[in-house]
Amino acid sequence: MLLTVTSRNVLLPDYDLPRPATINVDLRTGKIIEVRLRYTGDGACRESWAPGELHFVDARDKIVIPGLVDAHVHLEEPGNQDWEGFWTGTQAAAAGGVTTLIDMPVDSSPPTTTPRNLDIKRHSARGQCWVDVGFWGGAIPRNQAESGPLLSAGVRGFKCFLIDTGIEEFPCVSENDLHAHMSYLQNSVMIFHAEMQTASSPARHRLNPRSYQEFLSSRPKELEIDAITLITRLQAIYPSVSCHIAHLSAAAALPIIRAAKDCGSKLSVETCFHYLCLSAEDIPDGATEYKCTPPIREDSNRNLLWDALVDGTIDCVTSDHSPCLIEMKGLERGDFMEAWGGVSSLGLGLSLLWTEGRKRGISLGQIIRLMSIRNAELAGLSGTKGQLKVGHDGDLVIWDPEPEFKVSKEHLYFKNKLTPYEGMTLKGFVHKTFVRGRLAYDSALQDGFTGLQPSGELL
């Protein structure tokens, strides 16, 4: 049984621009078995159905792209499923063309810091996932002996914090903790929340908690610079450990990163949609939906991050989708110091990066490398995810780059519908999303999912 998708515009590996092609997916295995470099439609939009399954799609002039990979998502289940959950989070992903998520270990209860806790999370996820979901493990003080068992159980690598998390079950690690962890993690990945308070960090005094500028000054660029300096030093001591800097915000740290990469360091870096599409100057006082850590910085900083994407210093872009109950944002008080930190954007990322990127001459091929190929590489999935090629999973998206829409709550599939992007006009529209050849989202259906069943797998 085959799914055949044909279009005059298919984005294939090693191309920045789409070209005519036809893709065949074996629905028994979910794998791409053939890519033909020609369009095989008849000029009319033709679709054929079997019960619950779409077997032939003529996308005509719409663009077929590989399913996106988001390697930094907080799905927060079990324990905090009223914040987000596998069902709503993966629906939001599918509606935005994301076919693979890697869930962060923090914010669920219990966190993913032991094999038993991973089993609990997997049990919660089964039957709820509209896209494929993998898991990062957590590195906290004194759990380094869990590293090997967690890797054997299937985590893609480990995440740690260098600054207080405010979460009792997931404390930050010290430099001594990191030496213990990294000696265990040969040929694995360590992801760092790269902010670190040191004796040299500037002291800040709380004056007006509603002021965004004062919140920004409470998380200065020096916190990221000091953390990244430590990370590069540790990577030199443990060269077989791939070190990854999560959600880079401070462009002032880019020279340190470039120097480490020039020396051959196994160092990779991500930034996020909110650092590329939002600027501190535009954030009103009291607008706590914008709060995240590290914080959204000035427009001049944002431009330098875009330059670093283009020159390859920054490797990939993720959502860091980190929702909470709306009341935890304290919108009425507008207190940035007390509000929960995290920006919700799952499902909007492709439109965000396309809208902003095309103003800067960024091609669709570059966007797919940033949002799909390199995230797959980070998560150890480059052999199956992120590209439309034979042997890869049949994850593909039918997308139109031209339609504009104003972001409203009806475009948000995640659970707590609060985002700083509401009211923003974006370009690009996902028509259909396929996961392993199975239809996971269809904009023509009522709410995009009516009549479909979740078929995502746990990686």
Side-chain angles (χ1 to χ4, degrees), residues 202-270:
R204 304 291 173 173
H205 302 287
R206 173 175 173 170
L207 297 174
N208 177 9
R210 288 180 53 84
S211 165
Y212 184 76
Q213 288 303 318
E214 290 200 18
F215 167 67
L216 179 57
S217 72
S218 75
R219 309 290 288 223
K221 62 187 179 183
E222 287 83 2
L223 300 187
E224 292 186 74
I225 291 169
D226 289 344
I228 290 168
T229 299
L230 172 63
I231 292 164
T232 57
R233 180 161 55 81
L234 287 168
Q235 208 288 317
I237 297 170
Y238 303 98
S240 70
V241 180
S242 296
C243 293
H244 179 76
I245 297 166
H247 45 50
L248 178 72
S249 163
L254 289 169
I256 303 169
I257 293 165
R258 289 190 177 105
K261 287 190 167 191
D262 287 346
C263 291
S265 175
K266 290 176 67 173
L267 181 71
S268 58
V269 184
E270 73 184 53

Side-chain angles (χ1 to χ4, degrees), residues 32-76:
I32 297 172
I33 59 171
E34 184 181 25
V35 178
R36 286 181 282 167
L37 299 181
R38 62 189 180 92
Y39 170 63
T40 58
D42 60 7
C45 187
R46 209 162 37 93
E47 295 182 353
S48 64
W49 289 80
E53 294 177 348
L54 192 58
H55 291 305
F56 181 88
V57 182
D58 180 356
R60 303 181 71 184
D61 292 323
K62 296 183 180 68
I63 300 178
V64 178
I65 60 173
L68 305 174
V69 179
D70 192 338
H72 192 149
V73 176
H74 297 261
L75 293 174
E76 301 175 333

Side-chain angles (χ1 to χ4, degrees), residues 211-332:
S211 165
Y212 184 76
Q213 288 303 318
E214 290 200 18
F215 167 67
L216 179 57
S217 72
S218 75
R219 309 290 288 223
K221 62 187 179 183
E222 287 83 2
L223 300 187
E224 292 186 74
I225 291 169
D226 289 344
I228 290 168
T229 299
L230 172 63
I231 292 164
T232 57
R233 180 161 55 81
L234 287 168
Q235 208 288 317
I237 297 170
Y238 303 98
S240 70
V241 180
S242 296
C243 293
H244 179 76
I245 297 166
H247 45 50
L248 178 72
S249 163
L254 289 169
I256 303 169
I257 293 165
R258 289 190 177 105
K261 287 190 167 191
D262 287 346
C263 291
S265 175
K266 290 176 67 173
L267 181 71
S268 58
V269 184
E270 73 184 53
T271 192
C272 302
F273 306 123
H274 37 282
Y275 303 129
L276 296 168
C277 300
L278 302 172
S279 299
E281 293 91 337
D282 299 325
I283 299 176
D285 287 350
T288 52
E289 63 269 30
Y290 290 85
K291 179 184 176 179
C292 57
T293 55
I296 297 161
R297 302 189 188 277
E298 299 83 359
D299 195 58
S300 57
N301 182 89
R302 182 170 73 103
N303 291 329
L304 291 171
L305 293 178
W306 273 102
D307 291 344
L309 280 177
V310 172
D311 71 23
T313 305
I314 298 175
D315 300 274
C316 53
V317 183
T318 67
S319 68
D320 188 12
H321 175 70
S322 185
C324 63
L325 294 173
I326 291 175
E327 50 264 37
M328 294 172 67
K329 282 290 189 178
L331 297 175
E332 292 183 0

